[in-house]
Amino acid sequence: MTMYSLFLRCLNITYTHIEGDGSYASEKIGDTLYLYFEKSNGKNDWKTNLNFPVKTHRGYLAHRGFVRVWESLAADIHKIVKDSACSKITVTGYSHGGALALLCHEYILSVFPAATVVGYGFGTPRVVWGFLGNKRHRWDNFTVIRNIDDIVTHLPPAFLGYRHMGNLITVGQRGKYSSIDAHREENILRELKLVN
């Protein structure tokens, strides 16, 4: 799948919503399991997004709100991965969902070491805090896609110690959109179409 088609699928798939404010979807295509995490879809998600003091999580420090939601999803995702018997897994999310995809990517890589895992976060905020040294490799195959002026991808601010993990791909042109419009799904799709 191209990044454009993967993002389009992430936007249009039907999500399962669980207690703890997590929303996910999964599908198996060929021998690949696809896991999707939904963007913010209500007041509780926005409270989560703003709950950014750090919390220790799996040996590193991360955004407390996103960790809380991921922990509510982890058992469901674990079962889906285990039952799928797929050795290839693609994890994808948009915005709030991109943050969850980043945490999911690291979890699967650690708990299912035989799996080949790639991850994509579209318009993803920063999730991990501090310098991780030898733990950074956990996100070698995770890619954050930023529409250049997208405000969400610049939060929480780097001066507070938050870092993007994995690879950062920038699309779009500086000044083409306002910082809020650069985060809108239709504008990210427009820019992805130009690079695919």
Side-chain angles (χ1 to χ4, degrees), residues 126-146:
R126 296 180 177 112
V127 179
V128 176
W129 188 90
F131 294 100
L132 297 184
N134 65 356
K135 293 183 179 122
R136 286 189 70 88
H137 75 277
R138 297 177 183 185
W139 292 279
D140 283 350
N141 291 320
F142 191 89
T143 301
V144 173
I145 298 92
R146 167 193 282 170

Side-chain angles (χ1 to χ4, degrees), residues 1-68:
M1 252 190 245
T2 65
M3 283 192 291
Y4 176 86
S5 59
L6 189 62
F7 185 45
L8 193 61
R9 186 69 180 141
C10 183
L11 295 173
N12 293 311
I13 198 164
T14 301
Y15 286 92
T16 299
H17 307 282
I18 66 162
E19 189 176 330
D21 303 317
S23 302
Y24 70 88
S26 67
E27 65 182 343
K28 191 174 172 182
I29 301 174
D31 62 349
T32 302
L33 173 66
Y34 289 85
L35 296 169
Y36 305 92
F37 296 91
E38 191 176 28
K39 65 182 181 179
S40 300
N41 63 8
K43 238 190 286 188
N44 286 339
D45 285 353
W46 282 104
K47 287 180 189 173
T48 293
N49 298 346
L50 297 173
N51 184 6
F52 61 85
V54 295
K55 176 180 181 177
T56 301
H57 176 68
R58 299 178 46 76
Y60 59 93
L61 295 171
H63 184 293
R64 181 172 64 191
F66 295 136
V67 168
R68 180 191 63 78

